[in-house]
Amino acid sequence: MENSPSAPPHAPATEDRRGRVLVVDDDPTVAEVVVGYLHRAGYAVERAGDGPAALERFAAARPDLVVLDLMLPAMDGFEVCRRMRAHGPVPVIMLTARGDEEDRILGLETGADDYVTKPFSPRELVLRVESVLRRAGAGTPAAEEARPLSGAGLCLDPVARSASRDGAGLALTLREFDLLAFLLRHPGRAFGREELMREVWGWDFGDLSTVTVHIRRLRGKVEQDPARPRLIRTVWGVGYRLDLPGDGEAGETAGATGATGAPESPEATRAIEASEAPEAPGTTDRTAGAPRA
């Protein structure tokens, strides 16, 4: 394991910091490494060793982002994330030794914005923090990105970060909002999951099932019948496409699942994943937090 940086774990935030991060992990070694790297990157960091302590710190001073271990004593990370998310869309990166797909999907569906499996590279985690915070975005969007978006009864205001369908508000997470906004800016165009991850998440690497889960969640919120999607289509061998009334009819024969009204099957999703599966990344320095026995 790399030596953690020399910055003290609770250094006063007197510098021009890039944001406040709450690190929640009961493993002191992992927490020390994560806190050290984040301090060195310019973040003000607080630590908590269990769920109740994390919620107490969260209530006392809302952080800009939470790095949250899944396996915590007394209260697991899923429950901590649910309770935090009940107070607003604070970005959450889940950190865990459990790499099962069901756990990853549950973490994302709980409201996490990213999911990092131990052992991991501390440098990669810092990049993930930067990416999530950049997307959470303090500051005014560019003029084009600030333009209200609409179609098929959907209305999004990027400045107010509000969304509705047929006049009813939509409860979208940070990533769901960004994903839907991106698709609304490019109706009728098919995007691969790697492209969506790069354009929406700002990542050049990562777990592509993150995109799949967010598409599934979006369909559950914007489709009349999520099992027979008419807006967010699966395009065989490519990825996904947003069809708005009047501009997607001609493309329905190009291989979009659901064009005949048939439910989108798990086999269709697996076919996309197989067609886009990247080579194993050559990430090095995967040092922090080997799974505990």
Side-chain angles (χ1 to χ4, degrees), residues 186-257:
H186 304 90
R189 177 179 168 186
F191 293 94
R193 292 187 305 155
E194 289 179 332
E195 191 172 7
L196 289 172
M197 179 166 283
R198 183 172 59 253
E199 296 294 334
V200 177
W201 276 256
W203 305 343
D204 291 320
F205 55 88
D207 188 344
L208 293 179
S209 67
T210 299
V211 177
T212 307
V213 171
H214 281 78
I215 290 289
R216 183 186 310 158
R217 286 175 54 84
L218 259 185
R219 284 173 170 162
K221 297 178 180 182
V222 306
E223 298 280 0
Q224 295 290 350
D225 182 356
R228 294 173 171 82
R230 306 298 297 177
L231 295 175
I232 304 175
R233 304 298 192 96
T234 297
V235 182
W236 284 92
V238 180
Y240 304 101
R241 184 186 70 224
L242 177 69
D243 284 349
L244 299 180
D247 65 16
E249 301 300 324
E252 289 188 355
T253 60
T257 302

Side-chain angles (χ1 to χ4, degrees), residues 73-91:
M75 181 188 303
D76 67 26
F78 293 134
E79 182 62 24
V80 174
C81 186
R82 287 189 190 99
R83 296 193 187 190
M84 288 180 175
R85 294 289 299 180
H87 295 282
V90 61

Side-chain angles (χ1 to χ4, degrees), residues 44-288:
V45 190
E46 288 195 72
R47 282 173 56 175
D50 56 38
L55 293 174
E56 181 178 344
R57 289 183 179 273
F58 182 84
R62 180 76 64 88
D64 297 303
L65 180 141
V66 180
V67 177
L68 176 63
D69 187 29
L70 177 59
M71 294 185 290
L72 295 170
M75 181 188 303
D76 67 26
F78 293 134
E79 182 62 24
V80 174
C81 186
R82 287 189 190 99
R83 296 193 187 190
M84 288 180 175
R85 294 289 299 180
H87 295 282
V90 61
V92 175
I93 296 178
M94 281 197 168
L95 189 65
T96 178
R98 294 162 63 176
D100 293 343
E101 183 179 9
E102 289 185 4
D103 290 330
R104 182 171 61 251
I105 291 174
L106 180 56
L108 294 170
E109 291 184 343
T110 301
D113 297 279
D114 196 1
Y115 193 106
V116 179
T117 303
K118 301 175 183 177
F120 62 92
S121 163
R123 294 191 184 99
E124 178 183 336
L125 179 60
V126 171
L127 291 175
R128 297 290 185 93
V129 169
E130 291 174 350
S131 174
V132 171
L133 284 175
R134 184 169 59 250
R135 285 291 172 178
T140 305
E144 178 64 21
E145 294 182 351
R147 179 175 56 86
L149 303 165
S150 62
L154 295 167
C155 294
L156 270 68
D157 184 339
V159 176
R161 302 290 294 184
S162 63
S164 64
R165 173 157 192 182
D166 298 327
L170 293 174
L172 302 180
T173 66
L174 171 72
R175 293 298 191 190
E176 290 167 0
F177 187 97
D178 289 343
L179 178 57
L180 183 56
F182 180 80
L183 292 173
L184 277 170
R185 290 188 182 103
H186 304 90
R189 177 179 168 186
F191 293 94
R193 292 187 305 155
E194 289 179 332
E195 191 172 7
L196 289 172
M197 179 166 283
R198 183 172 59 253
E199 296 294 334
V200 177
W201 276 256
W203 305 343
D204 291 320
F205 55 88
D207 188 344
L208 293 179
S209 67
T210 299
V211 177
T212 307
V213 171
H214 281 78
I215 290 289
R216 183 186 310 158
R217 286 175 54 84
L218 259 185
R219 284 173 170 162
K221 297 178 180 182
V222 306
E223 298 280 0
Q224 295 290 350
D225 182 356
R228 294 173 171 82
R230 306 298 297 177
L231 295 175
I232 304 175
R233 304 298 192 96
T234 297
V235 182
W236 284 92
V238 180
Y240 304 101
R241 184 186 70 224
L242 177 69
D243 284 349
L244 299 180
D247 65 16
E249 301 300 324
E252 289 188 355
T253 60
T257 302
T260 62
E264 184 162 298
S265 67
E267 288 75 13
T269 299
R270 285 196 292 269
I272 291 176
E273 293 177 355
S275 69
E276 296 186 357
E279 296 181 1
T283 304
T284 58
D285 184 32
R286 302 187 66 81
T287 55

